[in-house]
Amino acid sequence: MEKIEHINYIKVPVAKVYEALTTHEGLSRVWTTDLIVKPEVGFVNEFGFGDEEPTKMKIVELSENKRIVWECTDSDAEWIGTGISFDLSEKSNVTSVVLRHYNWRELTEFYQWCNYNWAMFLLSLKLYCENDEGTPYQSRTF
């Protein structure tokens, strides 16, 4: 099994980062403007990226200001059954975010492309939390 793992440091309190990762406002400014989300364990968030069917992420864990875990239930075949976690910790008003995308069956070209895009996601999260200007999918140039 393969795993993508990134860390980033965001110069805001952990509550702001947690809110950005769990609310419609935050995720629409960071990841995609086409979404249906609800910060509730068991809810299946939906994220749209253009003409494709939406990516569906079941919320498996919400530990306020500490951890968020999603399980992919519908998306590209390589994503189904994978998990995405965000582990948060704060020190001196700087929040570290450890993003893991795990249970990949193999390292493929799509895996490598997603690895790059998760890094872009963390940059967008940082820009949104620190400057109120993220870069959701619809604002990116590919």
Side-chain angles (χ1 to χ4, degrees):
M1 293 274 184
E2 301 293 334
K3 170 177 69 171
I4 294 169
E5 187 167 334
H6 293 282
I7 189 168
N8 205 354
Y9 300 95
I10 302 175
K11 297 175 186 170
V12 299
V14 69
K16 176 145 178 104
V17 178
Y18 183 83
E19 182 179 307
L21 291 170
T22 57
T23 65
H24 185 278
E25 169 68 18
L27 288 166
S28 70
R29 303 281 299 281
V30 171
W31 203 15
T32 178
T33 58
D34 180 10
L35 73 165
I36 299 168
V37 300
K38 186 175 183 182
E40 180 180 295
V41 172
F43 189 79
V44 178
N45 290 335
E46 295 187 22
F47 302 98
F49 301 95
D51 295 335
E52 307 165 7
E53 290 295 313
T55 294
K56 295 182 181 179
M57 298 285 186
K58 180 179 179 181
I59 300 174
V60 175
E61 182 180 340
L62 288 174
S63 180
E64 189 171 1
N65 299 333
K66 293 184 187 333
R67 184 170 170 83
I68 300 153
V69 180
W70 299 335
E71 177 188 350
C72 184
T73 60
D74 194 16
S75 184
D76 183 279
E78 290 187 48
W79 272 38
I80 296 173
T82 63
I84 292 99
S85 65
F86 303 91
D87 289 296
L88 311 174
S89 62
E90 180 185 346
K91 185 176 180 181
S92 302
N93 279 340
V94 175
T95 300
S96 68
V97 181
V98 177
L99 179 152
R100 293 177 182 92
H101 189 168
Y102 51 91
N103 289 341
W104 285 80
R105 290 174 284 288
E106 60 184 321
L107 197 157
T108 63
E109 185 176 333
F110 184 62
Y111 165 95
Q112 293 169 319
W113 172 242
C114 292
N115 193 347
Y116 165 81
N117 280 287
W118 279 125
M120 295 299 293
F121 173 94
L122 285 179
L123 176 60
S124 180
L125 177 65
K126 180 178 178 67
L127 293 171
Y128 171 66
C129 290
E130 291 181 359
N131 304 312
D132 202 35
E133 291 207 26
T135 312
Y137 172 83
Q138 289 78 4
S139 297
R140 289 178 55 193
T141 303
F142 291 89

